[in-house]
């Protein structure tokens, strides 16, 4: 039986007097991918922020790798996030002046991993994901930068990988290659993947597709 790496129950939250979440429930298991679609402003990115502990919801429970996010202190939350959650942003959010291996190894070094081990793991991940060597990330293509971002998110072997519009800034060919990498991660690395996207073709590749509309999550029929 698969392990639940993310469990959200009864999540409620309002912004500016508008109810963003009305008793949202969600379960993501290890080895499973879940995509969330929905119109702009529906709360997709805010939902990820709740999972990361950056937004404290008004009610409900958010558990990542068994820990209740709202019950963690600031220091505990930072440690739990570093150990259990990997994040891929739309624009990568890499340090452009650093090399790909430096960007990836840095995440491990900040988590307390030995320098030699951090760089060995970073090099191995980048090789697995097909990222070429470069003096800085400024010399990489858009797709190579996103694959570097995926490697950085995976370096600490997280239970849960989050992705916020990870293909939104890419052309069609590059988008497919990055999606290939992302949707291979649950089975390849044993993590759960929660991805939010406007792209129906990307969403359709997930094991489960849900739509966030009017504050609730519902099963979505997606045509690629």
């Amino acid at each position: 039986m698969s392990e639940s790496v993310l469990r959200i129950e009864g999540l409620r939250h309002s912004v500016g007097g508008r109810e963003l979440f009305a008793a949202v429930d969600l379960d993501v298991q290890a080895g499973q991918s879940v995509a969330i679609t929905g119109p702009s402003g529906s709360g997709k990115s805010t939902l990820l922020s709740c999972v990361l502990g950056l937004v404290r919801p008004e009610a409900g429970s958010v558990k990542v790798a068994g820990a209740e996010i709202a019950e963690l202190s600031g220091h505990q939350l930072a440690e739990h996030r570093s150990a259990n959650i990997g994040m891929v942003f739309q624009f990568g959010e890499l340090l452009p002046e650093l090399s790909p291996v430096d960007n990836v190894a840095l995440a491990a070094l900040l988590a307390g991993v030995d320098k030699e081990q951090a760089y060995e793991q970073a090099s191995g991940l980048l090789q697995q994901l097909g990222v070429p060597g470069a003096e800085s990330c400024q010399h990489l293509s858009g797709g190579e930068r996103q694959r570097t971002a995926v490697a950085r998110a995976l370096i600490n072997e997280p239970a849960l990988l989050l992705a916020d519009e990870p293909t939104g800034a890419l052309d069609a060919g590059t988008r497919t290659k990055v999606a290939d990498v992302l949707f291979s991660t649950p089975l390849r690395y044993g993590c759960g993947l929660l991805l939010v996207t406007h792209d129906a073709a990307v969403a359709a590749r997930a094991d489960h597709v849900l739509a966030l509309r009017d504050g609730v999550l519902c099963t979505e029929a997606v045509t690629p």
Side-chain angles (χ1 to χ4, degrees):
M1 187 173 180
S2 295
E3 174 190 1
S4 179
V5 295
L6 170 64
R7 179 165 292 169
I8 297 174
E9 296 178 314
L11 194 71
R12 293 183 179 273
H13 190 62
S14 298
V15 175
R18 181 171 69 92
E19 188 176 53
L20 205 58
F21 307 133
V24 165
D25 296 322
L26 177 64
D27 186 83
V28 180
Q29 299 182 348
Q32 180 185 72
S33 60
V34 176
I36 295 179
T37 67
S40 296
S42 60
K44 300 186 301 298
S45 293
T46 302
L47 184 63
L48 295 186
S49 293
C50 289
V51 175
L52 289 165
L54 301 176
V55 170
R56 294 295 175 107
E58 296 164 2
S61 170
V62 178
K63 291 182 179 179
V64 176
E68 182 67 58
I69 294 299
E71 295 177 356
L72 300 177
S73 68
H75 178 69
Q76 290 172 330
L77 177 60
E79 287 192 337
H80 189 70
R81 203 159 42 205
S82 176
N84 293 287
I85 304 176
M87 182 73 201
V88 181
F89 300 93
Q90 180 174 352
F91 298 103
E93 304 297 337
L94 301 173
L95 297 173
E97 68 277 9
L98 297 184
S99 69
V101 71
D102 286 335
N103 266 282
V104 177
L106 180 59
L109 293 171
L110 291 173
V113 176
D114 172 77
K115 182 177 180 179
E116 183 177 352
Q117 182 182 351
Y119 273 86
E120 181 179 346
Q121 291 176 341
S123 297
L125 269 173
L126 290 168
Q127 185 175 11
Q128 289 175 31
L129 298 180
V131 179
E135 292 185 2
S136 79
C137 287
Q138 293 170 324
H139 298 125
L140 299 179
S141 68
E144 289 165 350
R145 285 194 292 272
Q146 280 300 70
R147 294 202 298 274
T148 301
V150 173
R152 182 185 59 187
L154 291 171
I155 187 69
N156 293 325
E157 300 180 355
L160 177 65
L161 180 64
L162 303 176
D164 190 359
E165 296 286 358
T167 61
L170 304 175
D171 60 65
T174 304
R175 180 178 64 216
T176 298
K177 293 177 182 177
V178 170
D180 287 344
V181 170
L182 281 168
F183 286 107
S184 71
T185 57
L187 291 179
R188 190 172 185 180
Y189 298 101
C191 61
L193 170 64
L194 177 62
L195 176 146
V196 303
T197 182
H198 283 99
D199 192 321
V202 171
R205 300 184 60 170
D207 296 323
H208 301 282
V209 182
L210 302 171
L212 181 58
R213 290 192 176 89
D214 300 322
V216 297
L217 282 173
C218 54
T219 302
E220 177 83 330
V222 174
T223 302

